[in-house]
Amino acid sequence: TGDDGRAWGPPFWDGEGTMFLSANAGKRSLALSLRDPRGREALLRLAERADVFVQSLAGLAAELGLGPEALRARNQRLVYCSVGAYGRVGPLAGEPGYDALMQAAGGLIR
């Protein structure tokens, strides 16, 4: 189904959440199953031509063979960026999160 943000609303435009549409205007997307070897290989092929790889899988990337060493073995100039909702250390470091959740946790939105 791709990004869950497609269903966030109201408001909606042609069945998709306007927040999703505004944040992703002009972008192309692709949904891959990274547990499927074919999906993982497709991502590795994309990384061969990429400049930057940003992942927020809370440790799962390395477990799936998509850590910085694996991707840089295919593309030495790749900038590998690992981000997390709760930082690299602490009791919630391994928990997933996304921008709207962190804004709510920080009191920016409710």
Side-chain angles (χ1 to χ4, degrees):
T1 61
D3 190 330
D4 291 334
R6 291 178 191 276
W8 295 349
F12 293 98
W13 180 269
D14 288 336
E16 293 189 317
T18 56
M19 179 180 166
F20 172 83
L21 294 172
S22 65
N24 293 290
K27 296 179 185 176
R28 293 182 292 167
S29 66
L30 172 67
L32 298 171
S33 171
L34 299 179
R35 293 195 186 279
D36 182 317
R38 295 171 300 169
R40 206 167 32 257
E41 182 58 32
L43 185 132
L44 290 167
R45 284 194 317 268
L46 288 168
E48 289 174 354
R49 298 181 286 130
D51 295 316
V52 178
F53 180 83
V54 179
Q55 66 88 9
S56 60
L57 298 172
L60 186 59
E63 181 182 316
L64 293 172
L66 301 171
E69 297 81 16
L71 270 68
R72 287 198 186 112
R74 310 270 294 244
N75 179 351
Q76 293 180 353
R77 62 174 179 48
L78 184 71
V79 174
Y80 187 101
C81 181
S82 180
V83 297
Y86 302 100
R88 297 182 72 191
V89 296
L92 299 176
E95 294 297 317
Y98 53 92
D99 182 55
L101 173 68
M102 298 320 303
Q103 289 185 41
L108 294 173
I109 60 173
R110 16 180 189 159

